Amino acid sequence: MEKVLCEGTTICYAEQGKGDPIILLHGFCGSSSYWDEVVPLLSPSYRCIVPDLRGHGRSDAPLGAYTIDQMADDVLKLQEQLDIPQAAWFGHSLGGYLALSAVQRHAERLTAFGLIHSTAYADTDEGKEKRNKAVSTIQTEGITTFVDGLVPGLFAPEHVESMPNQLLKVKEIGYKTPPQGAVGASLAMRERPDRRDVLSASALPALLVAGEQDQAVPPARTFTTDRTGVTQVTLPQSGHMSLIEAPQLLANAILSFLDQNLKK
């Protein structure tokens, strides 16, 4: 992996392909490896830049609470250091929150964006309490115990049994998340604002992808606008992890969206 320094924080990233640049952002307790099956399907047509977010993978994991804006700024700095004036951002779950932050504050740096199993809603009170419990579990029982409890619920129920290797891969990626990084990102998600107005008011083309069996972010929480320029895709039989459960279907959705909106 390559690395850049973003305001004192080292952000690591992988890059593959040529063409218009797209930035692929992973979810909570993930890494750039979440996109391993998707990038080879996109890179023949697009330049794929896939970072490890602050607190995850091989990137730095500073102590303390993070913010979604801060994590998005890391990616904007990476884009700047790669001398990319504009790029399309696709964010999985946590990564989608970063994309919305960038759309709200620096729309001129994006050509389009996608929310992959993500939402423009803020956390509910129940959701905030789950973040607090996550922090407590990580701090008292460790990242392995937390990830073991987290990952099965990210897959469609039938895939928990039928995709043991994929389930193990996601767990092993999660085990490598620095505990302070998981805590910092949990607190960032807990405090993120509602950005439904950003999604509905943006002039940028937007792709909204939901899994039919996503138990973490049900389709109704992803499909919050049908404004002009929004493409909605529901992936059948997929849970929260279409990047790993149905990579070809996800890649097809992204390619179709990009071909329609960037190659007019």
Side-chain angles (χ1 to χ4, degrees):
M1 295 189 80
E2 304 294 327
K3 60 179 65 176
V4 297
L5 197 61
C6 300
E7 301 294 336
T9 299
T10 297
I11 300 297
C12 294
Y13 69 97
E15 183 174 340
Q16 186 174 325
K18 295 181 179 180
D20 291 332
I22 61 176
I23 297 178
L24 304 172
L25 306 172
H26 64 77
F28 176 58
C29 281
S31 76
S32 55
S33 296
Y34 267 16
W35 294 95
D36 281 355
E37 303 301 318
V38 179
V39 167
L41 304 173
L42 302 180
S43 58
S45 303
Y46 294 93
R47 178 185 177 189
C48 299
I49 296 142
V50 198
D52 286 346
L53 302 179
R54 173 186 292 251
H56 293 77
R58 298 183 187 178
S59 291
D60 283 352
L63 291 169
Y66 307 158
T67 69
I68 295 299
D69 288 354
Q70 180 185 46
M71 297 178 76
D73 285 346
D74 290 337
V75 182
L76 287 163
K77 282 287 184 184
L78 169 62
Q79 184 177 322
E80 180 182 316
Q81 293 204 31
L82 293 177
D83 196 24
I84 298 172
Q86 291 183 305
W89 289 32
F90 294 93
H92 170 242
S93 198
L94 164 61
Y97 309 150
L98 274 60
L100 284 171
S101 169
V103 169
Q104 182 176 32
R105 300 178 300 118
H106 297 284
E108 75 283 357
R109 303 289 303 281
L110 281 71
T111 54
F113 68 99
L115 305 185
I116 314 297
H117 309 296
S118 191
T119 181
Y121 278 100
D123 268 358
T124 62
D125 288 342
E126 179 185 5
K128 289 182 178 182
E129 185 54 35
K130 286 183 178 178
R131 305 292 186 201
N132 293 336
K133 288 182 178 177
V135 169
S136 177
T137 299
I138 294 163
Q139 290 177 333
T140 60
E141 301 179 48
I143 193 70
T144 299
T145 297
F146 174 72
V147 167
D148 283 341
L150 172 71
V151 170
L154 302 181
F155 283 74
E158 66 191 74
H159 292 161
V160 175
E161 297 298 329
S162 66
M163 295 184 171
N165 292 337
Q166 290 90 333
L167 198 81
L168 180 60
K169 174 176 178 171
V170 174
K171 284 187 175 182
E172 289 180 337
I173 291 169
Y175 296 155
K176 296 176 183 176
T177 307
Q180 72 271 22
V183 167
S186 293
L187 297 175
M189 292 188 290
R190 187 188 70 187
E191 299 303 319
R192 76 183 189 279
D194 188 302
R195 286 192 162 113
R196 282 175 291 168
D197 58 335
V198 176
L199 178 59
S200 61
S202 174
L204 290 168
L207 172 65
L208 306 179
V209 176
E212 187 178 58
Q213 298 188 46
D214 191 336
Q215 302 169 84
V217 181
R221 288 183 68 80
T222 298
F223 300 142
T224 58
T225 181
D226 57 1
R227 67 161 170 86
T228 302
V230 166
T231 301
Q232 298 184 1
V233 176
T234 302
L235 300 180
Q237 300 179 308
S238 178
H240 194 66
M241 296 298 296
S242 67
L243 307 80
I244 289 168
E245 292 175 275
Q248 185 70 64
L249 291 180
L250 177 59
N252 290 347
I254 292 174
L255 287 169
S256 176
F257 169 77
L258 287 171
D259 289 349
Q260 289 175 19
N261 289 282
L262 297 191
K263 294 190 174 179
K264 290 183 177 179

